[in-house]
Structures are given as C-alpha cells and as structure tokens.
Amino acid sequence: MKVVRTIAELRAIERDRPRGARIGFVPTMGALHEGHVALMRAARADSDDVVASVFVNPAQFNDPSDLAKYPRQEARDAEMARAAGIDTLFVPAVEEMYPDDLATSLTIGGPALGFEGDYRPGHFNGVAIVCLKLFSIVLPTVAYFGQKDAQQVAVLRQLVRDTNLPLEVRVHPTIRAASGLALSSRNARLSPEEMTRALAIPRALMAGLAAHVRGADPVAVARPLLDGLDVEYLAIAHFHGEPTLVVAARAGITRLIDNVPLNHPALAGLPVAL
Ligand code: AMP
C-alpha cells in the first residue's frame, strides 16, 4: 500500500493505470474501525485498484470542539487499511484540500434538509464540497459509504446526480458491536456507563422496526426506550422516498446517530434479537 499526501502523487498513479480499470474509493475521517474496514473489503472485492482517504474535514464540523477532539491515529489507520487490501491511502493535509485561495463553496438542499441538516448547520455543505473534490481527485468508478450515515448517503447520491459525476455510490450495511451499538469513531468517548445507556438506541430501532412490521407507529413505540438519553430527533425520514427511522441522541456529551431503513432493514445490520 502506498501512502500519498499530495494530489500530484495521486495523479501520477492514475496516469500509470490501465485504461478501463475499476477504481473503488472509500473516503473516511480515520480512527478506523470494523465499519470502515467492511467498506474497504467490499471495495477490494469489486475493484482493480482501491483508494481510501483519511481526511478530518474541517468544513463539515459545525462544532470546533468536536473537530479538535476528533480522534487521530494515522499509523494505526494505515496498518488497518493495508490489512483490508487498500492499494493507495490518500492522507492530504488541510492546505492540500483547502488552499488559501479556494473560492468555491456548495449549498446542497433536498435530502440535506432536516435531521442532521437542522442540528448540524452547514455540515452537509462541507460533506458535499469535500466529496466533490475527493471524487475529482480520485476519479473512482464506485464510491462506498455506510448506511450508518443514511442521510449522508442520500446527500451524496443527490450530489452525484446533480453534478452528473460518472461514478456509482454504493451503500454498505451498518456494522455493529456484539451489543448492537453501531460502530463509530466517537464511541471511544463514551464512559462505560454511557455505553450501557447508548444501547437503548439499537433497542429502540429494533422495537420501531417491529412496530412498522405489525402496522403500528415506529416512533411512538421506540420513543420511551430512549428515555435515558438526550434525544435530538427520532423520526421517520424519507430519503429519496425510502422511509427510514432515524435517531440522534446524546449520551453525556457524545452525540450518536443511527437508523433503520424500514423497507430494507437488513441494511441496518441489527441483530435479530437484542
Ligand atoms: P467517517 O470516517 O465517520 O466519515 O466514516 C467513513 C465512512 O464509513 C462513511 O461512509 C460512514 O458511513 C462509514 N461508516 C462509519 N461507521 C460505520 C459503521 N458502523 N458501519 C458501516 N459504515 C460505517
């Protein structure tokens, strides 16, 4: 695996590729876990050449302390990416992605509105600009994203459609700990007691899904299960028409999000019984 830090180095790799090579791409913010690794393995399985990126994107953080606290562990990330079969790991500095004279920004509506869009103002504009830039730099055939961030998947599908990018956005099911908690780089911030309380999230999603299956109201059934957490939203979102039970809640100061697409529940990776 090559670790490259500049766009020029990536362009040199691209020039040497055979024409028609299928390029898989997995963008991440690092602090890699088995969720990221699953995306990398999926990309490895269907691509000739696999690029992953590690870039903690300042543009998508609406909270400066969240950006400052974001875990960074490049050596460990590089080892995990190598073990997952990545060919090229792109680790740009902030100045490489956002030179001082950058004068373009993006505003994305549609699926970016509501939910995360309400609680993290500007977040999806930051996700959109960094992904558009990364797509232009990496030139992937397929880009892989996790169902864990369901609204982000919808936003990126919208971006790719609206800007006619010649790539496919593919979604991978949410990867969870044995406890049911969705893996997240932010879980490391949870105390053992907060971790226990956070397990209410997958339980609430399971209960909501079961309610949907029997024709009851998923939100009404799931809501009481979240009583020990500080809930920002629990609702049914319609991302490109797909009804998805979405939740954002805090355990202590740590903000967690999770979801289950009600008509495609396998994507949520929930255990059969919790
Ligand atoms: P991040 O590093 O948090 O920006 O995540 C990079 C990619 O990994 C995004 O497409 C996420 O949706 C995906 N991802 C993060 N956590 C999980 C998880 N538990 N299961 C599946 N995909 C995930």
Side-chain angles (χ1 to χ4, degrees):
M1 184 183 79
K2 263 196 185 141
V3 177
V4 304
R5 297 184 191 279
T6 65
I7 296 162
E9 286 169 279
L10 260 186
R11 292 283 181 238
I13 292 172
E14 284 158 15
R15 273 195 298 275
D16 290 345
R17 271 192 196 128
R19 274 174 73 87
R22 288 179 56 80
I23 313 306
F25 177 42
V26 183
T28 81
M29 297 205 300
L32 301 183
H33 52 61
E34 287 303 314
H36 300 110
V37 168
L39 268 61
M40 291 178 180
R41 294 224 177 91
R44 176 71 281 165
D46 11 270
S47 320
D48 299 315
D49 210 356
V50 188
V51 180
S53 60
V54 171
F55 180 62
V56 182
N57 174 33
Q60 73 187 68
F61 284 81
N62 50 308
D63 173 358
S65 79
D66 188 26
L67 172 61
K69 282 187 305 198
Y70 204 83
R72 290 159 209 254
Q73 42 184 52
E74 190 187 316
R76 186 171 172 272
D77 288 347
E79 183 42 41
M80 287 178 78
R82 193 199 54 72
I86 297 301
D87 297 300
T88 307
L89 188 65
F90 181 47
V91 192
V94 171
E95 310 78 62
E96 185 73 1
M97 294 298 287
Y98 298 114
D100 283 345
D101 59 354
L102 185 88
T104 300
S105 59
L106 282 177
T107 306
I108 185 151
L113 304 178
F115 313 105
E116 292 302 282
D118 284 344
Y119 283 87
R120 303 188 68 190
H123 169 68
F124 285 124
N125 293 339
V127 169
I129 186 77
V130 82
C131 285
L132 180 58
K133 284 173 69 75
L134 287 169
F135 294 157
S136 308
I137 294 164
V138 174
L139 306 174
T141 319
V142 181
Y144 296 79
F145 293 91
Q147 176 66 32
K148 161 77 170 39
D149 299 281
Q151 192 173 8
Q152 173 170 272
V153 171
V155 165
L156 293 170
R157 289 213 158 111
Q158 187 75 41
L159 174 77
V160 164
R161 189 192 303 169
D162 287 352
T163 56
N164 308 96
L165 290 170
L167 65 94
E168 181 194 334
V169 170
R170 210 169 281 176
V171 65
H172 193 282
T174 302
I175 304 295
R176 297 174 184 277
S179 63
L181 189 66
L183 296 185
S184 162
S185 308
R186 291 186 172 88
N187 292 354
R189 296 184 195 158
L190 294 169
S191 70
E193 183 272 328
E194 288 166 347
M195 179 83 83
T196 305
R197 271 193 289 139
L199 298 183
I201 294 175
R203 280 195 212 106
L205 292 179
M206 291 287 290
L209 174 61
H212 171 74
V213 169
R214 64 174 186 267
D217 176 2
V219 173
V221 170
R223 186 69 188 77
L225 296 178
L226 296 172
D227 275 352
L229 298 169
D230 182 5
V231 178
E232 289 188 350
Y233 59 78
L234 170 71
I236 297 180
H238 292 268
F239 298 135
H240 293 135
E242 283 293 335
T244 307
L245 182 60
V246 291
V247 57
R250 284 181 193 268
I253 54 167
T254 305
R255 186 171 186 278
L256 301 168
I257 61 169
D258 203 344
N259 71 88
V260 55
L262 293 169
N263 294 340
H264 302 279
L267 276 175
L270 287 161
V272 178
L274 277 176

